[in-house]
Amino acid sequence: MKNKILISTALVLVSLSQLYLEVLLTRMFSITQGYHWAFLIVGLALLGNGMGGTYLIFRKDVHKDDGIKHLRLISMLYPLSIILAYIGINLLPFDPYLVPWSKVQLLYFFFNLSIFLIPFFFSGLIVSLSLTLFSSIHSTLYCMTFIGASVGSLFALLSLSMLSEFRALLVSIIVGFLASLLLCRGSRYNSISAVLLLVFMHLFVYMPFDISLRFSPYKDLSQMLKIPSTRILATYRNVSSRIDIIESPTIRYAPGLSYKYIGKVPSGIGITIDGENLKGIITSNHFTDYLPQAVLYELKKDPKILIVNPIGGLDIVLAMEKNTKDITVVFENPIMVDVIKKYLPYSSNIHYIAEHPRVYFAQDKELFDVIQFSLEESFYVVTSGSYSLKENYTYTVEGFKSAYSRLNPGGVILFTRWLQRPPVEELRLFNIILTGLRELGIKEPERRVISFRSLNTMTFLVKNGEFTREEIYRIKYFLESMAFDPVFFYGLKPAEVNRFNVLPDDIYYEYFQQILKDKNFSKRYPFCIDPPRDDRPFFFQFFKRAQIPTILRNWGRTWQPFGGAGYIIIIAVILLIILISILIIMLPFILKRAILPMSCRISSLSIYFFAIGLGYLFVEIPIIQRLILYLGKPVYSFSIILAIILVSSGFGSIFALRLNKYPIPLVLGASIITISLTLPFILEFSLKYPFYLRIFICIAIVSPLGFLMGIPFPIALERAKNYSVSTIPWYWAINGVASVLSSFLSTVIAMYTGFTFILIISGLLYLLSGFILLSSDKRNKEDVT
């Protein structure tokens, strides 16, 4: 094991396997539980790594007596733990929404948590033990972990689009055993590692069996598969989604359909994305005249139309039925283009584009008579709060303004949303529209907006210009003929509302009027309906702290997540994991303080490592979330930005000792604060550029930060090593706890304050660490003199 190349290569492979596993598990959680649970993976990985450092503190024999032997054994346990974790997760029926009734779910939660932690504990133990055993080259090894992790995050992009979930998991295991084979070279463990590697390579190539993912029972796909005669016709995958085409006699899709329609809605084929958002694939057009969005064709004859994300093709069929000659369809997901082309009849009038609508608006300056935002999500019960953490850059003030700028004079935007009670989506979208129009310099935005409701949907019309009396008359005639109720337009009288789909009280009309006239209405409203922005793009985040007493009173009395506890459960899980991380990593040091040198207990270096642990993730996670729009998809942002940060941090760690005499943390802190203030303008200006140029811009922005972020840890580790090698696991553990805290807190805090605020906090933390380092150096000089 004296070969430095061998240990460096092994660490590259271990880090590659771990980051690849993180990205893979993030996608798996999105598929099985939902996007709102996937973010837990990053925190669990960091917690497992921190536990590795804690373990070494209490098992000094591991790195003092026969450290190489332990390293070889752990390297074999790591890939084996991956497959055991995957099997365990699929076997344990953890359901967070049953917690109020079934306390056994808490037990399942701890089992799931423990199973997830095991692979990351072993990988963290390998890295921590290697840094301790080979402390003379710790900067090089630290760099190798960054390089391996960056390759792993990019490698995941390739495999996720080509392999099934189980086969993709086998890749992580095989890479882990390759690392084990290098570490076990020349020992009695070598043959065992080689045999296990061959076994899993055989599984990967021949796949004698497959262990499918177990979906949450709340997913649409899970519900549909319980119905007799339902079957999956095809499954498609890419880096950002799993799309299932299902056939069932119960699938009928026509949201908002007027009750004046007396025919039968066709049934047959549906589509789910990551197991949810069930939509029918529509091929028949005999009922489309009775849909709310048909109002467009009362206003515009043969319009030049842009349709955004018409999952299932309903709005495309409507446009074709109206003989529209120029139809542009934008899908975020390229697979959807292929699916719709397969099931809908061919038309030379339709032009398909696979791109995020915001990117398309920035790149293409073409103007349209109509821009239609289709209803792409399933009905989300507002009080569940389960989708609060999901970013949505389409429904922000900036998103609305970008769409509005692509309208011809007199052009119209149409939005369709589900009708909620109590209303939230509708009020938030109305706030977005009014705010966007006002920021565009329009003094009387209410003259440009019309809203009406069906039995279960609400439709918004926004015109580039004021609606004329003739247009309002035509819309009113359409609403009368289809039995839709007007909610808002300029001059609407109370006697004209709530006549067809009758409610005990028409709160929609009342609340829209209050939003228009009372600036403080949003503050008083029990749910958060402020207009989201790109810096805080959480359209489905309606939670206010004032709701907590009501939610707790209803705890266990309503069916979750529909009793409002969805958001509370997510936050509770975060807090529980944070508490567990502190207990697991820090409590042993508190209970057995004598195991550490006295000065280490109150050392300023402890605060330093904690500050840079918080600061690193407070840069990484907000930038990843902020660049989701810029790069088009969450998985692109996660993998590409993570790779850039990790590679540049790796190079920074190599040069760390050479730059030791410079106040790098202070420079870094000032740079982060500067970037946080200038980044929104850079992204807005350059969003129009091609994808490859946007990647280069990301590299230009992020890599200097990453390079500087790779320096603070090694330079402080060098000081710790000079004091005592045995303190390295202690600082590794402190840094791990801080990383776990920041991975969870950054997203939750950003929902209320925005990404810019989190970046500024990170800059301040690095400034604090810089001053700690300067004061430490000053004290050392005084001690010498």
Side-chain angles (χ1 to χ4, degrees):
M1 292 288 297
K2 294 182 179 180
N3 192 336
K4 295 180 181 179
I5 297 178
L6 203 66
I7 184 64
S8 298
T9 306
L11 280 190
V12 168
L13 292 173
V14 169
S15 302
L16 188 158
S17 173
Q18 176 183 313
L19 249 295
Y20 174 91
L21 182 63
E22 274 189 55
V23 178
L24 181 60
L25 289 177
T26 299
R27 279 295 307 134
M28 286 183 178
F29 250 53
S30 293
I31 294 170
T32 59
Q33 294 293 335
Y35 178 78
H36 50 291
W37 289 104
F39 77 101
L40 293 174
I41 297 300
V42 175
L44 291 176
L46 293 168
L47 174 56
N49 288 172
M51 287 169 59
T54 304
Y55 178 80
L56 287 183
I57 286 287
F58 292 94
R59 291 295 306 275
K60 292 185 178 181
D61 57 301
V62 170
H63 61 86
K64 287 189 175 181
D65 299 335
D66 201 353
I68 301 300
K69 176 183 175 181
H70 284 94
L71 186 61
R72 287 166 173 163
L73 182 61
I74 295 165
S75 71
M76 288 191 296
L77 293 175
Y78 163 62
L80 286 175
S81 67
I82 296 174
I83 187 65
L84 294 176
Y86 181 79
I87 294 171
I89 292 164
N90 276 282
L91 290 178
L92 288 173
F94 172 55
D95 185 341
Y97 300 121
L98 287 180
V99 171
W101 294 280
S102 176
K103 298 303 180 260
V104 73
Q105 291 298 328
L106 288 174
L107 184 62
Y108 288 149
F109 168 73
F110 283 108
F111 278 144
N112 268 279
L113 183 63
S114 301
I115 290 170
F116 266 122
L117 287 175
I118 291 171
F120 298 113
F121 167 73
F122 283 131
S123 62
L125 191 55
I126 292 170
V127 173
S128 184
L129 183 55
S130 299
L131 289 173
T132 305
L133 292 173
F134 304 96
S135 59
S136 60
I137 55 169
H138 65 80
S139 293
T140 301
L141 297 183
Y142 191 59
C143 173
M144 293 301 105
T145 63
F146 280 122
I147 292 175
S150 64
V151 174
S153 64
L154 293 176
F155 186 48
L157 290 179
L158 178 65
S159 67
L160 285 171
S161 59
M162 299 172 59
L163 304 174
S164 68
E165 292 81 16
F166 181 61
R167 183 168 259 164
L169 187 84
L170 291 175
V171 173
S172 179
I173 296 170
I174 290 170
V175 173
F177 275 118
L178 286 173
S180 177
L181 199 62
L182 290 176
L183 292 173
C184 294
R185 185 178 178 183
S187 70
R188 60 193 177 100
Y189 299 113
N190 188 64
S191 57
I192 300 174
S193 185
V195 169
L196 290 171
L197 173 63
L198 292 174
V199 168
F200 282 100
M201 289 180 69
H202 175 82
L203 287 176
F204 177 82
V205 174
Y206 295 103
M207 285 291 288
F209 59 88
D210 189 6
I211 304 176
S212 300
L213 289 173
R214 180 179 59 84
F215 282 80
S216 165
Y218 304 104
K219 290 269 188 172
D220 294 340
L221 184 59
S222 299
Q223 297 292 325
M224 290 303 302
L225 291 177
K226 295 176 182 178
I227 300 172
S229 303
T230 299
R231 62 191 182 102
I232 296 177
L233 298 179
T235 298
Y236 305 94
R237 295 178 177 88
N238 60 14
V239 295
S240 61
S241 63
R242 165 179 163 161
I243 293 178
D244 291 280
I245 310 298
I246 57 179
E247 183 180 53
S248 175
T250 63
I251 296 176
R252 288 181 173 84
Y253 186 70
L257 185 67
S258 170
Y259 62 69
K260 291 289 187 75
Y261 178 71
I262 58 175
K264 191 174 182 179
V265 177
S267 63
I269 298 175
I271 184 169
T272 62
I273 301 175
D274 285 349
E276 55 189 353
N277 290 335
L278 175 64
K279 300 287 184 294
I281 297 179
I282 306 301
T283 56
S284 172
N285 62 8
H286 64 261
F287 65 92
T288 52
D289 282 341
Y290 292 82
L291 294 170
Q293 49 267 46
V295 69
L296 287 170
Y297 303 94
E298 298 295 322
L299 294 173
K300 303 288 182 181
K301 302 300 181 183
D302 190 20
K304 182 179 181 181
I305 186 170
L306 171 68
I307 307 175
V308 177
N309 285 327
I311 310 298
L314 177 62
D315 294 326
I316 301 175
V317 172
L318 172 61
M320 293 171 66
E321 192 268 334
K322 297 297 183 179
N323 296 314
T324 308
K325 301 297 189 299
D326 192 344
I327 305 170
T328 301
V329 179
V330 175
F331 279 111
E332 287 186 49
N333 197 322
I335 293 178
M336 287 306 307
V337 176
D338 298 328
V339 171
I340 295 300
K341 283 183 176 180
K342 179 179 178 180
Y343 287 97
L344 262 61
Y346 171 77
S347 173
S348 59
N349 298 332
I350 304 177
H351 316 285
Y352 291 98
I353 295 169
E355 186 58 270
H356 193 287
R358 290 283 302 278
V359 177
Y360 175 74
F361 290 142
Q363 293 179 341
D364 197 307
K365 300 304 179 183
E366 188 177 7
L367 301 180
F368 297 90
D369 300 317
V370 171
I371 298 176
Q372 181 177 357
F373 287 87
S374 299
L375 185 59
E376 57 182 295
E377 300 94 356
S378 295
F379 179 79
Y380 296 154
V381 177
V382 54
T383 53
S384 78
S386 297
Y387 292 86
S388 297
L389 301 178
K390 186 176 183 180
E391 305 93 346
N392 188 313
Y393 285 95
T394 300
Y395 290 97
T396 64
V397 173
E398 294 87 347
F400 168 77
K401 291 194 293 185
S402 68
Y404 195 79
S405 66
R406 298 277 78 81
L407 286 176
N408 279 315
V412 175
I413 297 178
L414 181 141
F415 295 98
T416 303
R417 301 305 307 171
W418 292 107
L419 196 68
Q420 302 273 5
R421 192 172 178 93
V424 282
E425 282 190 33
E426 310 92 320
L427 301 185
R428 172 160 275 176
L429 182 54
F430 189 52
N431 255 333
I432 289 172
I433 293 169
L434 293 180
T435 304
L437 291 175
R438 285 166 180 154
E439 291 184 1
L440 290 170
I442 298 167
K443 294 182 179 179
E444 294 183 297
E446 64 271 17
R447 291 178 177 268
R448 301 184 178 216
V449 184
I450 291 178
S451 178
F452 62 91
R453 61 180 175 85
S454 66
L455 185 63
N456 59 2
T457 64
M458 183 169 288
T459 302
F460 291 84
L461 296 169
V462 188
K463 185 183 175 184
N464 186 9
E466 296 181 2
F467 281 101
T468 64
R469 289 185 178 181
E470 181 185 351
E471 288 172 330
I472 293 176
Y473 175 80
R474 273 191 270 167
I475 292 172
K476 289 171 69 174
Y477 178 81
F478 172 80
L479 299 184
E480 290 273 350
S481 62
M482 293 294 145
F484 296 142
D485 291 288
V487 174
F488 181 87
F489 60 79
Y490 186 76
L492 178 64
K493 300 175 182 178
E496 297 178 278
V497 305
N498 200 27
R499 293 187 298 129
F500 301 109
N501 304 281
V502 179
L503 301 172
D505 55 336
D506 194 349
I507 56 177
Y508 302 100
Y509 168 76
E510 177 187 344
Y511 288 168
F512 273 51
Q513 293 297 323
Q514 290 191 49
I515 286 177
L516 182 65
K517 298 174 183 178
D518 185 354
K519 294 181 180 179
N520 295 319
F521 175 76
S522 296
K523 293 180 180 179
R524 296 196 312 270
Y525 196 66
F527 295 92
C528 181
I529 56 171
D530 295 329
R533 296 183 178 271
D534 285 353
D535 193 53
R536 194 161 51 94
F538 302 100
F539 181 77
F540 298 103
Q541 187 340 66
F542 307 116
F543 182 82
K544 280 186 175 180
R545 285 175 293 180
Q547 296 172 240
I548 294 177
T550 303
I551 292 173
L552 295 179
R553 281 198 303 269
N554 294 329
W555 187 270
R557 299 177 183 178
T558 53
W559 181 249
Q560 305 298 336
F562 310 128
Y567 181 85
I568 294 293
I569 289 175
I570 294 171
I571 298 300
V573 168
I574 292 173
L575 294 176
L576 188 58
I577 293 176
I578 290 174
L579 179 61
I580 292 171
S581 68
I582 294 173
L583 290 175
I584 290 177
I585 297 177
M586 302 304 298
L587 187 60
F589 298 109
I590 298 172
L591 295 177
K592 297 187 177 183
R593 299 168 69 184
I595 65 171
L596 290 172
M598 286 295 295
S599 61
C600 188
R601 297 180 199 164
I602 55 174
S603 172
S604 59
L605 279 182
S606 298
I607 302 173
Y608 175 92
F609 277 101
F610 189 82
I612 65 173
L614 283 176
Y616 197 99
L617 270 292
F618 273 8
V619 173
E620 181 181 290
I621 292 179
I623 285 183
I624 286 174
Q625 290 181 293
R626 193 67 174 83
L627 293 174
I628 287 174
L629 167 63
Y630 196 68
L631 296 177
K633 292 179 175 56
V635 70
Y636 284 167
S637 182
F638 186 88
S639 299
I640 294 172
I641 299 305
L642 199 59
I644 295 171
I645 291 176
L646 293 174
V647 168
S648 54
S649 292
F651 283 110
S653 67
I654 289 179
F655 290 94
L657 298 184
R658 302 178 191 179
L659 301 172
N660 193 10
K661 60 182 179 179
Y662 300 104
I664 296 298
L666 296 178
V667 175
L668 175 57
S671 301
I672 292 171
I673 293 174
T674 303
I675 287 293
S676 70
L677 299 175
T678 58
L679 185 62
F681 304 100
I682 297 171
L683 299 184
E684 182 180 0
F685 175 78
S686 59
L687 188 61
K688 60 188 176 184
Y689 294 148
F691 184 70
Y692 71 92
L693 281 181
R694 280 180 276 142
I695 291 180
F696 282 123
I697 291 171
C698 288
I699 293 172
I701 295 172
V702 176
S703 58
L705 288 182
F707 180 84
L708 294 174
M709 286 159 61
I711 295 174
F713 189 90
I715 60 177
L717 205 64
E718 183 68 19
R719 286 168 168 76
K721 186 191 75 172
N722 292 335
Y723 176 75
S724 172
V725 173
S726 62
T727 61
I728 291 178
W730 158 251
Y731 291 123
W732 180 266
I734 291 175
N735 192 259
V737 169
S739 298
V740 173
L741 291 172
S742 59
S743 67
F744 293 125
L745 293 178
S746 60
T747 300
V748 176
I749 295 173
M751 285 196 299
Y752 297 97
T753 62
F755 303 133
T756 300
F757 182 77
I758 301 297
L759 287 171
I760 291 174
I761 291 177
S762 175
L764 295 176
L765 286 169
Y766 275 110
L767 289 175
L768 171 64
S769 66
F771 286 122
I772 290 174
L773 214 58
L774 287 177
S775 63
S776 176
D777 290 342
K778 184 178 179 179
R779 284 196 302 270
N780 290 338
K781 290 179 181 178
E782 290 175 354
D783 291 340
V784 171
T785 56

